[in-house]
């Protein structure tokens, strides 16, 4: 039974399209995150939500919009996809107070997005 | 700006060797330092360090933190081919984890 699951695992699409990645965690954690890992394997935080409330919004283009319908789900919608958006997107969760990120992060398996 | 730097970026050794991976950081409001191992997919948690000088150990892996000099090391003794992976260091200042660029470790039989 997967703790943090994200779909789809692979996504190939054309520039200009809109796409979504979904994430669900069954660990009962309060905080969920989206991280982007580029081709050099550098993991960078994009967003963090604590109990459906946005806590962290890094310098991310506003074409990226996260949505948290409840504390177990955090989805990522991307509008007008660009070549530079190609990366692996990791969802993660942790049991933190107010998303302070002091504890262990549990990662999903990643969604590899390729924009052509 | 918060910064985590790992070295070396890449390391190739033979099975049985001992390796030391380095992580230095500059962050405001340091809370903890974490090590992760990433094979093909999701990073998996290895250690969380919050106090200086206290070694954390798990089998052949161990790690220690120096909060005065702002660095941590991850040691792996008697390496095996299954240790081949990217090892990620992350530091938690307030509200998020900041990751280093990783060390790609390759163990040759």
């Amino acid at each position: 039974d997967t703790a943090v699951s994200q779909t789809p695992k692979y996504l190939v699409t054309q520039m200009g399209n809109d796409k979504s990645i979904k994430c669900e965690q069954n660990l009962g954690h309060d905080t969920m995150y989206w991280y982007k890992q580029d081709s050099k394997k550098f993991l960078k935080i994009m967003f963090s939500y604590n109990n459906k409330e946005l806590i962290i919004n890094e310098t991310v283009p506003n074409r990226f919009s996260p949505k948290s319908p409840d504390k177990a789900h955090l989805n990522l919608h991307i509008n007008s996809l660009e070549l530079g958006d190609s990366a692996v997107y990791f969802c993660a969760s942790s049991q933190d107070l107010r998303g302070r990120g002091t504890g262990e992060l549990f990662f999903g398996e990643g969604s590899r997005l390729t924009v052509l | 700006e918060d910064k985590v730097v790992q070295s070396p970026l890449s390391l190739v050794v033979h099975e049985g060797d001992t390796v030391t991976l380095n992580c230095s950081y500059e962050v405001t409001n340091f809370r903890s330092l974490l090590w992760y191992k990433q094979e093909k997919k999701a990073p998996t948690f290895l250690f969380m360090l919050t106090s200086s000088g206290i070694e954390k150990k798990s089998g052949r892996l161990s790690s220690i933190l120096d909060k005065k000099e702002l660095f941590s090391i991850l040691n792996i003794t008697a390496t095996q081919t299954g240790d081949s992976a990217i090892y990620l260091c992350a530091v938690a200042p307030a509200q998020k984890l900041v990751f280093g660029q990783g060390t790609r470790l390759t163990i040759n039989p």
Side-chain angles (χ1 to χ4, degrees), chain B residues 33-68:
Chain B
L33 183 145
L34 296 89
W35 284 96
Y36 283 83
K37 178 183 181 182
Q38 185 175 21
E39 296 176 83
K40 296 218 174 17
K41 293 185 179 176
T44 52
F45 174 79
L46 294 174
F47 297 111
M48 182 167 75
L49 303 152
T50 53
S51 303
S52 267
I54 299 173
E55 188 185 48
K56 292 253 176 137
K57 220 167 150 54
S58 174
R60 295 175 296 101
L61 277 68
S62 63
S63 183
I64 198 158
L65 173 67
D66 185 329
K67 285 164 78 172
K68 188 178 169 195

Short mmCIF file of all heavy atoms in Angstrom, two decimals, chain B residues 33-68:
data_model
loop_
_atom_site.label_atom_id
_atom_site.label_comp_id
_atom_site.label_asym_id
_atom_site.label_seq_id
_atom_site.Cartn_x
_atom_site.Cartn_y
_atom_site.Cartn_z
N LEU B 33 19.51 18.64 9.72
CA LEU B 33 20.13 18.24 8.45
C LEU B 33 19.73 16.80 8.19
O LEU B 33 19.75 15.97 9.11
CB LEU B 33 21.66 18.37 8.54
CG LEU B 33 22.46 18.06 7.27
CD1 LEU B 33 23.67 18.97 7.17
CD2 LEU B 33 22.86 16.62 7.16
N LEU B 34 19.36 16.52 6.97
CA LEU B 34 18.87 15.17 6.61
C LEU B 34 19.68 14.62 5.45
O LEU B 34 20.10 15.37 4.56
CB LEU B 34 17.39 15.22 6.23
CG LEU B 34 16.41 15.63 7.31
CD1 LEU B 34 16.21 17.13 7.37
CD2 LEU B 34 15.07 14.95 7.10
N TRP B 35 19.88 13.30 5.47
CA TRP B 35 20.49 12.60 4.34
C TRP B 35 19.44 11.68 3.72
O TRP B 35 18.71 10.98 4.43
CB TRP B 35 21.68 11.77 4.80
CG TRP B 35 22.92 12.56 5.09
CD1 TRP B 35 23.35 13.02 6.30
CD2 TRP B 35 23.92 12.97 4.14
NE1 TRP B 35 24.54 13.69 6.16
CE2 TRP B 35 24.91 13.67 4.85
CE3 TRP B 35 24.08 12.81 2.77
CZ2 TRP B 35 26.05 14.22 4.23
CZ3 TRP B 35 25.19 13.36 2.14
CH2 TRP B 35 26.17 14.05 2.88
N TYR B 36 19.44 11.67 2.38
CA TYR B 36 18.55 10.79 1.62
C TYR B 36 19.38 10.01 0.60
O TYR B 36 20.42 10.48 0.13
CB TYR B 36 17.50 11.60 0.85
CG TYR B 36 16.37 12.12 1.69
CD1 TYR B 36 16.50 13.31 2.42
CD2 TYR B 36 15.16 11.44 1.76
CE1 TYR B 36 15.46 13.78 3.18
CE2 TYR B 36 14.12 11.91 2.53
CZ TYR B 36 14.28 13.09 3.23
OH TYR B 36 13.24 13.55 4.00
N LYS B 37 18.86 8.84 0.24
CA LYS B 37 19.45 8.03 -0.83
C LYS B 37 18.45 7.95 -1.96
O LYS B 37 17.27 7.63 -1.73
CB LYS B 37 19.75 6.61 -0.30
CG LYS B 37 20.32 5.65 -1.34
CD LYS B 37 20.51 4.26 -0.72
CE LYS B 37 21.09 3.28 -1.73
NZ LYS B 37 21.24 1.91 -1.16
N GLN B 38 18.89 8.26 -3.18
CA GLN B 38 17.99 8.18 -4.33
C GLN B 38 18.57 7.21 -5.34
O GLN B 38 19.63 7.45 -5.92
CB GLN B 38 17.77 9.56 -4.97
CG GLN B 38 16.74 9.52 -6.08
CD GLN B 38 16.42 10.89 -6.65
OE1 GLN B 38 17.20 11.84 -6.52
NE2 GLN B 38 15.27 11.02 -7.30
N GLU B 39 17.83 6.11 -5.54
CA GLU B 39 18.22 5.16 -6.57
C GLU B 39 17.47 5.54 -7.83
O GLU B 39 17.63 6.62 -8.36
CB GLU B 39 18.00 3.73 -6.08
CG GLU B 39 18.91 3.43 -4.89
CD GLU B 39 18.71 2.07 -4.26
OE1 GLU B 39 19.27 1.09 -4.77
OE2 GLU B 39 18.01 2.00 -3.23
N LYS B 40 16.57 4.65 -8.30
CA LYS B 40 15.96 5.02 -9.57
C LYS B 40 14.83 6.05 -9.42
O LYS B 40 14.58 6.84 -10.30
CB LYS B 40 15.42 3.77 -10.25
CG LYS B 40 16.51 2.79 -10.63
CD LYS B 40 16.19 2.15 -11.97
CE LYS B 40 17.23 1.27 -12.53
NZ LYS B 40 18.22 0.65 -12.23
N LYS B 41 14.15 5.99 -8.31
CA LYS B 41 12.94 6.82 -8.21
C LYS B 41 12.97 7.76 -7.00
O LYS B 41 13.69 8.73 -6.97
CB LYS B 41 11.72 5.91 -8.18
CG LYS B 41 11.53 5.19 -9.51
CD LYS B 41 10.27 4.37 -9.56
CE LYS B 41 10.12 3.71 -10.92
NZ LYS B 41 8.95 2.82 -10.97
N ALA B 42 12.15 7.46 -5.99
CA ALA B 42 11.97 8.42 -4.90
C ALA B 42 13.15 8.41 -3.94
O ALA B 42 13.69 7.35 -3.62
CB ALA B 42 10.69 8.07 -4.13
N PRO B 43 13.57 9.58 -3.46
CA PRO B 43 14.57 9.61 -2.39
C PRO B 43 14.02 8.92 -1.15
O PRO B 43 12.84 9.09 -0.80
CB PRO B 43 14.76 11.11 -2.13
CG PRO B 43 14.25 11.80 -3.35
CD PRO B 43 13.17 10.94 -3.88
N THR B 44 14.88 8.14 -0.50
CA THR B 44 14.47 7.49 0.75
C THR B 44 15.35 8.01 1.88
O THR B 44 16.54 8.24 1.72
CB THR B 44 14.58 5.96 0.66
OG1 THR B 44 15.90 5.63 0.21
CG2 THR B 44 13.57 5.40 -0.31
N PHE B 45 14.72 8.16 3.01
CA PHE B 45 15.34 8.78 4.17
C PHE B 45 16.42 7.90 4.78
O PHE B 45 16.25 6.69 4.92
CB PHE B 45 14.23 9.04 5.20
CG PHE B 45 14.70 9.56 6.52
CD1 PHE B 45 15.02 10.89 6.68
CD2 PHE B 45 14.78 8.72 7.61
CE1 PHE B 45 15.43 11.38 7.91
CE2 PHE B 45 15.19 9.20 8.85
CZ PHE B 45 15.52 10.53 9.00
N LEU B 46 17.55 8.51 5.15
CA LEU B 46 18.61 7.78 5.84
C LEU B 46 18.75 8.27 7.29
O LEU B 46 18.60 7.50 8.23
CB LEU B 46 19.95 7.98 5.11
CG LEU B 46 20.07 7.37 3.71
CD1 LEU B 46 21.40 7.77 3.08
CD2 LEU B 46 19.94 5.86 3.75
N PHE B 47 19.06 9.55 7.44
CA PHE B 47 19.32 10.09 8.78
C PHE B 47 18.79 11.52 8.91
O PHE B 47 18.74 12.24 7.93
CB PHE B 47 20.84 10.20 9.04
CG PHE B 47 21.59 8.91 9.04
CD1 PHE B 47 22.48 8.62 8.02
CD2 PHE B 47 21.42 7.97 10.05
CE1 PHE B 47 23.19 7.44 8.00
CE2 PHE B 47 22.12 6.78 10.04
CZ PHE B 47 23.02 6.51 9.01
N MET B 48 18.45 11.87 10.15
CA MET B 48 18.22 13.27 10.49
C MET B 48 19.12 13.63 11.66
O MET B 48 19.17 12.89 12.65
CB MET B 48 16.77 13.53 10.87
CG MET B 48 16.52 15.00 11.17
SD MET B 48 14.80 15.45 11.28
CE MET B 48 14.36 14.80 12.87
N LEU B 49 19.84 14.74 11.52
CA LEU B 49 20.80 15.16 12.54
C LEU B 49 20.40 16.55 13.02
O LEU B 49 20.16 17.44 12.21
CB LEU B 49 22.21 15.22 11.94
CG LEU B 49 22.70 13.90 11.32
CD1 LEU B 49 23.69 14.16 10.22
CD2 LEU B 49 23.31 13.03 12.39
N THR B 50 20.38 16.70 14.33
CA THR B 50 20.06 18.01 14.87
C THR B 50 21.14 18.53 15.82
O THR B 50 21.26 19.73 16.02
CB THR B 50 18.71 17.99 15.63
OG1 THR B 50 18.77 16.94 16.60
CG2 THR B 50 17.55 17.74 14.69
N SER B 51 21.91 17.62 16.40
CA SER B 51 22.91 18.02 17.39
C SER B 51 24.32 17.73 16.89
O SER B 51 24.56 16.71 16.25
CB SER B 51 22.69 17.24 18.69
OG SER B 51 21.40 17.46 19.16
N SER B 52 25.23 18.61 17.24
CA SER B 52 26.63 18.44 16.84
C SER B 52 27.27 17.27 17.55
O SER B 52 27.02 17.04 18.74
CB SER B 52 27.43 19.69 17.22
OG SER B 52 27.49 20.58 16.18
N GLY B 53 28.13 16.56 16.83
CA GLY B 53 29.02 15.59 17.46
C GLY B 53 28.40 14.25 17.81
O GLY B 53 29.10 13.37 18.30
N ILE B 54 27.12 14.09 17.57
CA ILE B 54 26.48 12.81 17.91
C ILE B 54 26.34 12.00 16.63
O ILE B 54 25.64 12.40 15.71
CB ILE B 54 25.11 13.04 18.56
CG1 ILE B 54 25.30 13.82 19.85
CG2 ILE B 54 24.41 11.71 18.81
CD1 ILE B 54 24.01 14.24 20.50
N GLU B 55 27.02 10.86 16.60
CA GLU B 55 27.00 10.05 15.38
C GLU B 55 25.71 9.23 15.32
O GLU B 55 25.29 8.62 16.29
CB GLU B 55 28.20 9.10 15.38
CG GLU B 55 28.36 8.35 14.05
CD GLU B 55 29.48 7.32 14.08
OE1 GLU B 55 29.55 6.53 15.03
OE2 GLU B 55 30.29 7.32 13.12
N LYS B 56 25.13 9.25 14.12
CA LYS B 56 23.98 8.38 13.89
C LYS B 56 24.48 7.23 13.02
O LYS B 56 25.27 7.43 12.09
CB LYS B 56 22.88 9.13 13.13
CG LYS B 56 22.22 10.22 13.94
CD LYS B 56 20.85 9.83 14.34
CE LYS B 56 20.22 10.88 15.23
NZ LYS B 56 18.85 11.17 14.89
N LYS B 57 24.01 6.00 13.35
CA LYS B 57 24.53 4.84 12.65
C LYS B 57 23.38 3.93 12.23
O LYS B 57 22.42 3.73 12.98
CB LYS B 57 25.45 4.07 13.62
CG LYS B 57 26.71 3.51 13.01
CD LYS B 57 27.65 3.06 14.09
CE LYS B 57 28.52 1.90 13.62
NZ LYS B 57 29.27 2.09 12.40
N SER B 58 23.55 3.37 11.02
CA SER B 58 22.59 2.37 10.57
C SER B 58 23.34 1.38 9.71
O SER B 58 23.65 1.65 8.55
CB SER B 58 21.45 3.05 9.78
OG SER B 58 20.60 2.08 9.24
N GLY B 59 23.69 0.25 10.30
CA GLY B 59 24.46 -0.75 9.56
C GLY B 59 25.83 -0.21 9.18
O GLY B 59 26.59 0.27 10.03
N ARG B 60 26.10 -0.21 7.88
CA ARG B 60 27.40 0.26 7.40
C ARG B 60 27.43 1.77 7.17
O ARG B 60 28.46 2.32 6.79
CB ARG B 60 27.73 -0.48 6.09
CG ARG B 60 27.92 -1.98 6.25
CD ARG B 60 28.11 -2.69 4.90
NE ARG B 60 26.94 -2.60 4.06
CZ ARG B 60 26.81 -1.76 3.05
NH1 ARG B 60 27.80 -0.92 2.72
NH2 ARG B 60 25.70 -1.75 2.32
N LEU B 61 26.31 2.42 7.38
CA LEU B 61 26.23 3.86 7.15
C LEU B 61 26.28 4.61 8.48
O LEU B 61 25.69 4.15 9.47
CB LEU B 61 24.92 4.24 6.45
CG LEU B 61 24.87 4.09 4.93
CD1 LEU B 61 24.93 2.64 4.50
CD2 LEU B 61 23.62 4.75 4.39
N SER B 62 26.97 5.73 8.48
CA SER B 62 26.98 6.57 9.68
C SER B 62 27.11 8.02 9.24
O SER B 62 27.61 8.32 8.15
CB SER B 62 28.12 6.19 10.63
OG SER B 62 29.37 6.41 9.99
N SER B 63 26.65 8.91 10.12
CA SER B 63 26.69 10.33 9.77
C SER B 63 26.89 11.15 11.03
O SER B 63 26.47 10.75 12.12
CB SER B 63 25.39 10.72 9.08
OG SER B 63 25.44 12.08 8.68
N ILE B 64 27.51 12.31 10.86
CA ILE B 64 27.76 13.20 11.99
C ILE B 64 27.62 14.64 11.52
O ILE B 64 27.82 14.94 10.33
CB ILE B 64 29.13 12.91 12.61
CG1 ILE B 64 29.24 13.48 14.02
CG2 ILE B 64 30.27 13.38 11.72
CD1 ILE B 64 30.30 12.82 14.86
N LEU B 65 27.27 15.50 12.44
CA LEU B 65 27.03 16.91 12.12
C LEU B 65 27.96 17.79 12.95
O LEU B 65 28.19 17.51 14.13
CB LEU B 65 25.57 17.25 12.46
CG LEU B 65 25.11 18.69 12.38
CD1 LEU B 65 25.12 19.19 10.95
CD2 LEU B 65 23.71 18.84 12.98
N ASP B 66 28.49 18.83 12.33
CA ASP B 66 29.29 19.83 13.03
C ASP B 66 28.63 21.19 12.81
O ASP B 66 28.78 21.79 11.76
CB ASP B 66 30.73 19.82 12.48
CG ASP B 66 31.66 20.75 13.26
OD1 ASP B 66 31.19 21.79 13.78
OD2 ASP B 66 32.85 20.45 13.34
N LYS B 67 27.90 21.65 13.82
CA LYS B 67 27.14 22.90 13.67
C LYS B 67 28.02 24.13 13.77
O LYS B 67 27.63 25.21 13.35
CB LYS B 67 26.02 22.95 14.70
CG LYS B 67 24.87 22.03 14.34
CD LYS B 67 23.95 21.78 15.50
CE LYS B 67 23.00 22.94 15.75
NZ LYS B 67 21.99 22.56 16.77
N LYS B 68 29.22 23.95 14.30
CA LYS B 68 30.13 25.11 14.38
C LYS B 68 30.75 25.37 13.01
O LYS B 68 30.83 26.50 12.55
CB LYS B 68 31.21 24.81 15.41
CG LYS B 68 32.11 25.99 15.73
CD LYS B 68 33.12 25.64 16.79
CE LYS B 68 34.16 26.76 16.87
NZ LYS B 68 35.35 26.36 17.60
#
